[in-house]
Structures are given as structure tokens and as C-alpha cells.
Amino acid sequence: MSPLRPGNPHWQRRCAAFLIDFGILATAALALTASWWRVDLREADAAIDSLRSTMDATMARALDANADPASFYASLLSDPSLRGAVTAFAHHVTGAIVAVAFAYALLSAAWNLGSELSSWQGSPGKRLLGLRVVDISGKRATFAQLFVRQLAAGLSWFTLNIGHLLAWWPPFRSLHDRIADTDVVATPGAGPLPAWGRATLSIALLAAVLLPVLFATWLAMRLTTP
């Protein structure tokens, strides 16, 4: 039996195009919502200080009482101050993420709809990578189709990207493209994926691995260092 291979011949090209658009739009969303997420992150940082203080106090009490490990962890879990600090941290981090994500969603819809209606028939990222959005017959998509495509794109995200992964298999179209009767195709003479496109994919993969590790390391240091 032959190994399973990605069926969509343009999957790397499409991913690189998305990353280009994402970088531009995410930067704009962060800039536009800076006054909101900065406040939330300051409050989240204060919640970490409160969390560390509560943990230190609980540990001190446990040591004074010669508590066994089970009792110590039980006291941590039942401490209302600790639960409050954790809840506050999660609340403010979520608030910052939601503010940026909402701005990103609005910018992305306008960005994609406007560029797909233009002579480019695709976002700047798609343009650079030789891709365009068409209807299923290969002709120019209508405004109605492209508008529905933007609305349906939310479903592809809300299904935890399962909607996007549908483009991996025949007929090689994401959920939002299937709903809108559209397709993403390569322009004639697009050629192989350029070296800078492959580099973009490599950097994104490295970031996806490193960023969670760096965040976990930073959080552990904040919780243990006064």
C-alpha cells in the first residue's frame, strides 16, 4: 500500500499565501486594539503576582503545619484566593485575545472580499503566490458568492480548522468554498513554490513549536521569581 500523500497540489502555496496575509492583518489588528489588550495584559500580569503571593503563603502555612503533600495540594485547590487569581488571569488573557481576534476577523473579511472582487481575484498573499479565487466552473466569482465565502469562512475556523482541512482531499475545496461554490486555483504559469515561500512555511512551523514553549517558560518564571 502506498503512503498517504496530500492530494491538493497547491496546499503549500495556499498555506504560504495565508501566512503572508495573516502577518499583515494580525499586525494591523494588534495596532488597532492596542489600547484594549495592553490594559488586559497589565491586569493579567497583576493576577500572576497575586497568584504567586497566594501560592507562597499557602506553602508557608503547609510547612509550618508539617502538612503532607496530599494536604498541601488539597489546600491549594480549595483556596478561594488562588481560584480568584487564576480566574482573573484567564479572564484578562481571554479579553485580550478576543479583542484582537474580533478586529482581525473584520479586517480579514474586508481584506479578502475587496481583493477577490478586484482584478487580482485574490488577496495580496494569493497574488504573490500565483493563486486566485474563481467559481467552480473556473470563471470569475460573483459578489454574492464571494460575500457568502467570507461569511462561511467563520465555519471553517469554528470547526477547529476541519473546514480548511477539507481542501486536502478531492475536490480540494475548503468548507467555505464548497458552501459558496468557489475554488482557489493557481494562475497559468505560476511555477513551483518559490524559495521564500518555503522559508515562510518553515518559519511558521518553527514559531508554532517554540511560542508555546517560550510562553510556558515565561509563565513558570513569573510564578517562581519575585
Side-chain angles (χ1 to χ4, degrees):
M1 175 184 266
S2 61
L4 179 64
R5 296 172 185 244
N8 192 326
H10 308 305
W11 70 274
Q12 290 182 316
R13 192 179 296 275
R14 291 183 66 170
C15 289
F18 164 76
L19 290 170
I20 292 169
D21 293 326
F22 175 80
I24 297 171
L25 293 171
T27 300
L30 285 168
L32 290 173
T33 59
S35 59
W36 286 282
W37 59 259
R38 283 178 177 170
V39 172
D40 274 315
L41 291 187
R42 280 197 296 268
E43 294 296 331
D45 194 58
I48 291 177
D49 289 334
S50 176
L51 181 60
R52 186 182 62 244
S53 299
T54 301
M55 292 176 64
D56 289 345
T58 303
M59 290 178 67
R61 289 196 300 269
L63 290 173
D64 291 340
N66 292 320
D68 59 89
S71 300
F72 168 66
Y73 287 118
S75 64
L76 279 178
L77 295 175
S78 62
D79 192 316
S81 299
L82 185 64
R83 289 201 302 271
V86 171
T87 300
F89 175 76
H91 170 75
H92 291 297
V93 170
T94 301
I97 293 173
V98 168
V100 177
F102 182 73
Y104 176 87
L106 294 178
L107 290 172
S108 179
W111 174 274
N112 286 301
L113 181 59
S115 56
E116 289 166 11
L117 285 169
S118 73
S119 59
W120 287 4
Q121 293 181 254
S123 66
K126 288 185 176 68
R127 172 75 171 182
L128 287 171
L129 272 301
L131 297 170
R132 59 194 177 95
V133 179
V134 297
D135 68 11
I136 54 175
S137 67
K139 297 179 181 179
R140 188 179 185 88
T142 65
F143 172 83
Q145 286 176 303
L146 295 175
F147 184 76
V148 170
R149 186 175 190 268
Q150 303 312 314
L151 294 179
L155 295 176
S156 292
W157 286 105
F158 291 145
T159 55
L160 302 179
N161 283 320
I162 293 175
H164 292 108
L165 288 175
L166 290 177
W168 194 270
W169 298 278
F172 308 130
R173 293 159 62 208
S174 300
L175 177 61
H176 49 282
D177 282 315
R178 299 182 189 215
I179 292 174
D181 284 335
T182 55
D183 197 4
V184 179
V185 299
T187 56
L193 183 68
W196 61 265
R198 293 192 296 272
T200 299
L201 294 174
S202 299
I203 292 171
L205 180 61
L206 182 63
V209 174
L210 289 181
L211 287 179
V213 175
L214 292 174
F215 174 75
T217 302
W218 170 82
L219 184 59
M221 291 179 65
R222 283 288 286 111
L223 288 172
T224 56
T225 305

